[in-house]
């Protein structure tokens, strides 16, 4: 119970400043390999946000994610659901499975359905 999961080079707990330092260091190291990294603005909160979105996509419920991230309310966690288009599509597909089929690889929406017209009819 006294041991830290993530430590700095002195064996003390890794602080947010340490996370920022490591992220900056590895982004700089990865830029020559992945040139698009140069255009990104990554910070520690990016890791937190990406983790929450991936947990949602994996089917983890909002209450669990909220507790894990230390949010005071579920409303804070709901921000992550508003961001992701795939989650919105999945929710609509559960309610209207015959209308919204799963998208084909490489396509945002099925060719047979005009999503905008369909949403206007709701």
């Amino acid at each position: 119970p006294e041991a830290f999961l993530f430590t700095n080079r002195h064996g003390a707990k890794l602080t947010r400043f340490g996370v920022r330092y490591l992220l900056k260091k590895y982004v700089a190291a990865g830029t020559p390999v992945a040139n698009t990294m140069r255009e990104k603005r990554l910070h520690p909160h990016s890791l937190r946000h990406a983790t929450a979105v991936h947990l949602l996509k994996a089917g983890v419920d909002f209450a669990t994610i909220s507790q894990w991230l230390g949010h005071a309310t579920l409303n804070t966690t709901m921000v992550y659901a508003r961001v992701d288009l795939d989650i919105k599509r999945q929710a609509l597909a559960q309610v209207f499975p015959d209308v919204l089929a799963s998208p084909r690889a490489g396509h945002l929406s099925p060719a047979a359905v005009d999503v905008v017209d369909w949403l206007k009819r709701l």
Side-chain angles (χ1 to χ4, degrees), residues 60-121:
V60 178
D61 64 286
F62 284 105
T64 301
I65 295 170
S66 181
Q67 289 294 314
W68 192 67
L69 295 176
H71 290 160
T73 67
L74 280 178
N75 290 337
T76 307
T77 311
M78 295 299 283
V79 170
Y80 297 110
R82 288 188 211 118
V83 175
D84 194 81
L85 201 56
D86 288 338
I87 292 173
K88 292 175 184 178
R89 174 173 287 287
Q90 288 172 2
L92 286 171
Q94 286 178 2
V95 177
F96 305 103
D98 53 330
V99 177
L100 274 182
S102 297
R104 294 174 300 167
H107 296 281
L108 182 60
S109 62
V113 177
D114 183 354
V115 177
V116 175
D117 285 341
W118 178 77
L119 287 171
K120 285 180 183 176
R121 288 182 275 141

